Structure formats: C-alpha cells, structure tokens
Amino acid sequence: MTEGAPAAHRFETEAMPHLNDIFRTATRVLGERGRAEDVVQEVYLQAWKSFDRFEPGTNCRAWLFKILFHCVNHHRRKWFRFPLLKENEEFLEANLTYSPPVPDHLTDEEILAALEKIPGDFRSVVLLVDVEEFAYKEAADILQVPIGTVMSRLSRGRRLLREQLVDVARSYGIARTVEEGQGA
Amino acid sequence: MSMEMNMNEEEAKLRQQLQRAVRSTEVPPYLENKIRAGIRGSEARQLLQFRYSWMAAAAALALAVFGGITYQLGHLRLTTSSQESYIASVSNHVSSIMRVGLRDHLHCSFFRKFPKDAPKLENIEKNLSEPYRGMIPIVRKHVPGDFRLMITHECGYQGRKFVHLALKRDSQLLSVVLAVKQDGESFKTEELIPALTEAGIPFYQSGVQRFQIAAFESDHHLIYIVSDLSQAENMQTMTAMAPELKDYLNKLTL
C-alpha cells in the first residue's frame, strides 16, 4: 500500500480487517452486544475522521484499540458508574487468596460468564494481552497507563479469572473433580 | 521446577480457553455495512458543512464589505452623532464657502425619510415666508421635470439660517439652498475660479462622493444646488434657473 493511495482505499485495507477483534473486545468489555455495536461504529467513524493523522506502516490495529478504549471510557461514564481502581483494589483484597488451578471441561459461555465478573480494568488488560496478544508496552499505550500497571492488573486479572472459573466449575460439580485430582 | 512448569501450562491452557471463548463471538453481518454507511454519511455531512461554512463566510464578508461601504457613503448613519461626523468628514473635501450649501443639504435632505408621495404644494409653500415663496415657481420651472417638491422650509444649521427647497426623483435628491451672505461673504473673495460664466453670472462648482454642488451669488445671497445628478446636469439645472432666480432675489427687500 503506497502513501499516495486514496484514503478510502487505505482505510478499507488497513482498518476494516480488524473489525472482528474490535467488536469482540468491545462486547466483552461492555458486556452487551448492542452497546458494543454502537461503540464500534463510533470507533470506526472517529478512526476515519482522524485517518490523516495515522502514519502508514505503523500498527493500525493498536491504533484502533486505542480509539476503542477511549470511546469505551467515554461511554462507561455515561452508561455505568465507572468502577474506580480503589474499588477494584478492595475487590482484590476480598477475593484474592490463592491461585487455583483452571478446571477442565468448561464451555465458552461459562468462561465468558466468569470473565464478565472481573472488574473492567482487569478484564481490559486480560483481553488485550491474553486474547489479543498485545505486548505489555502496546497494552499500556492503548489503555494510557504505565506498563507496571498493566503487569499488575494482568496478574491480578488472571487470578481473578481462575477464581471465577472455579466458582463456575463448582456450581456445575466440576470443581470436585479438580480438588479430588489435586488430592490424589 | 515441576510446579513452575505446571503454572505455565495452566496459564497457557487458560489463555487458549479464553481466546477460544472470546473468538466465538460472531460479528453481526450488517455491522460492516453500517460502518461504511456511517462513514459515507459523515463525509457527505462534512462536505455540506464545508460548503455551508464557506458560504457563510462569503456572505459575512460580503455583508461586512457592503455594510462598510454603505456606512462610509453615509447610509446606516442612524444616530445624530454619526450623521454629524459624516457631514463633517464629507464637507471637509470642499472649500469653506461650498460647505455652506452642502451641509444644509446633508442635514435636511440626505438623512431625512421622505414620504412616498409628494405633499400638495399648497401645504408646503406656506412654510416659506412671503418674500421667499416666489422662489418656488422658478425652481419648479427649471428642475428636470420629474423631480417633485417634497419640502420647503426655512431652517437653521450650526447657527446659520437657510431657505431650503428639497426635491426628489426616485432615489435622487436635489436641494436648492439659499443663505444670506454674512460679513462680506462671496465666492470671489474665496478666490474660487468660476467653472463657467453665463448671462454675466459666474458659476462655481464642486463635488464630493455622490454630491454635486453648483453655486452662484446674488447681491445678498449665496445660492446652491446640491444633488445626486451628474456634474453636467447639475450645472445645467443651475445655469437655467440662475438668471431668473437672481433677478427675483435682487428685488427682495431684506
């Protein structure tokens, strides 16, 4: 793709292929497909309007994710009571005791249900690093937080997710198998 | 070592499960088209906004230029002080003796809102004192035919008294202004060069902006025609009117 190519064609080839990733992350962060659709449309509209500022050859996917989280934060203030980090820390104090093993035989729905129970700040980092496979530095840039914050939120987010998965498994009777397996 | 390996395996397993679960979410098939339509709509809106902003800027500029020009030319002077400043600035462009007639025309005719229809002659001629009333038929006889007499009055401006006959043709104004000479006032003493001399009468002329001034003097009066006519037409009107008017004025007992 050359720099002289018309902007519409460049946008089509560089930005549109990432629609799936953007939509899935938006759905998981916002917890609702309808809101995710609205936000994704807004992301692409904003991206198009500021596409002249995007440098060809740089990471378009990361640029779109950065716009996504900007829009998400804007809408979360409107739609939800934005969860403050202090509340997340309190949540951790109350919930993080140890890092349990991940149960087998969980469905996608059960995993997504567990993911949804994690506070938004931790869920965002888990999604960016573990699902979308961004480097810590990229995730820090997307979320506009220090890299150390990304690392600590990722670590805590993963542990929270395990906790939630064990709870889900226990409710289906799977955890017993895990605990029995550990005890053997 | 074995525990660490177990932890890494656990994390890898969790990550795989998580990726599989998140990626199971399907993008609605219509979303891509909605996004493209939204972008096209925003482009159209931007184009319209761009056009409207340019049109608005052009209109504002045109309005400012038009407003500036009309203000400079004396229109839009709605307050007395702005009218006075206009009279002062315009009359500075002509000699002091020519200002006499020009100022009265500006003060009494130019800023006046005339009625659409001319008043009846019998209603306005009584505004002039008896000696000057005889000027009316002379003036009416010599002005271009379609000028209608709108005002006759004896007025004062900046401490000086005038006899003023104001006529109108569509948007064109014509004033015949008469002032009694003060302290040996004369066009001759002002060292003005006559534009022409006809029937033994020297005529003087000047002009500024849209206003043309033609003047002559009788024994006791300075007489001016100030109008929106061309310089030639204005002078022609004055030369036609002057002999009869001069005779009439010289016969007046002041």
Side-chain angles (χ1 to χ4, degrees), chain B residues 100-119:
Chain B
V100 175
L102 175 63
R103 282 177 172 173
D104 191 53
H105 170 75
L106 293 172
H107 178 253
C108 282
S109 283
F110 183 63
F111 290 118
R112 184 184 292 269
K113 294 271 181 220
F114 287 103
K116 193 181 170 191
D117 297 317

Side-chain angles (χ1 to χ4, degrees), chain A:
Chain A
M1 190 55 48
T2 62
E3 282 187 36
H9 183 63
R10 276 184 52 219
F11 190 79
E12 195 66 38
T13 54
E14 291 191 38
M16 290 309 285
H18 305 299
L19 175 60
N20 286 1
D21 296 339
I22 296 290
F23 178 74
R24 284 165 188 160
T25 304
T27 307
R28 299 280 71 91
V29 169
L30 294 166
E32 197 186 304
R33 285 175 69 94
R35 281 175 178 167
E37 283 180 27
D38 292 343
V39 167
V40 169
Q41 285 184 69
E42 193 180 326
V43 167
Y44 271 89
L45 196 59
Q46 284 195 16
W48 168 247
K49 283 178 181 172
S50 54
F51 197 54
D52 56 329
R53 292 201 293 270
F54 171 71
E55 291 174 32
T58 59
N59 191 342
C60 185
R61 186 166 170 269
W63 182 66
L64 288 169
F65 269 89
K66 195 169 179 176
I67 298 172
L68 169 67
F69 278 94
H70 176 79
C71 290
V72 164
N73 286 336
H74 174 76
H75 283 283
R76 273 211 291 213
R77 281 184 211 108
K78 197 168 71 178
W79 289 332
F80 312 114
R81 196 169 68 88
F82 191 70
L84 299 170
L85 193 60
K86 187 172 175 292
E87 290 174 333
N88 291 338
E89 297 290 353
E90 286 165 0
F91 181 93
L92 286 174
E93 290 300 317
N95 290 277
L96 278 187
T97 48
Y98 78 112
S99 184
V102 182
D104 294 320
H105 313 302
L106 285 170
T107 65
D108 291 345
E109 286 73 22
E110 287 158 357
I111 291 171
L112 294 177
L115 182 65
E116 203 162 317
K117 288 178 182 166
I118 301 177
D121 291 333
F122 302 106
R123 187 163 67 225
S124 298
V125 176
V126 170
L127 283 164
L128 287 176
V129 177
D130 281 348
V131 179
E132 299 302 332
E133 299 180 320
F134 281 108
Y136 293 161
K137 192 173 176 299
E138 289 174 316
D141 187 50
I142 289 167
L143 296 169
Q144 302 281 284
V145 294
I147 196 165
T149 306
V150 168
M151 291 163 78
S152 66
R153 286 186 192 175
L154 179 65
S155 166
R156 292 171 178 187
R158 282 171 177 166
R159 273 198 286 173
L160 281 169
L161 182 61
R162 286 164 190 268
E163 274 282 313
Q164 294 299 329
L165 287 171
V166 169
D167 284 350
V168 171
R170 193 174 289 131
S171 69
Y172 286 96
I174 300 168
R176 198 179 299 138
T177 315
V178 173
E179 282 158 13
E180 280 167 2
Q182 274 186 330

Side-chain angles (χ1 to χ4, degrees), chain B residues 42-90:
Chain B
S42 88
E43 275 184 306
R45 278 193 299 277
Q46 273 181 329
L47 191 65
L48 269 180
Q49 278 172 356
F50 181 74
R51 280 182 187 166
Y52 282 142
S53 60
W54 268 106
M55 282 164 68
L61 185 66
L63 197 65
V65 170
F66 177 76
I69 289 170
T70 47
Y71 187 78
Q72 286 305 315
L73 292 178
H75 303 290
L76 299 176
R77 304 275 182 147
L78 303 175
T79 62
T80 306
S81 60
S82 66
Q83 291 174 359
E84 288 300 321
S85 74
Y86 177 73
I87 292 171
S89 72
V90 169

Side-chain angles (χ1 to χ4, degrees), chain B residues 206-240:
Chain B
S206 188
V208 57
Q209 289 188 6
R210 59 190 278 190
F211 311 107
Q212 291 300 326
I213 312 164
F216 76 97
E217 60 190 304
S218 66
D219 294 344
H220 303 290
H221 297 93
L222 303 172
I223 303 103
Y224 303 86
I225 289 182
V226 187
S227 78
D228 303 327
L229 299 172
S230 68
Q231 191 182 59
E233 217 181 346
N234 195 58
M235 181 55 88
Q236 202 176 351
T237 307
M238 183 53 122
T239 52

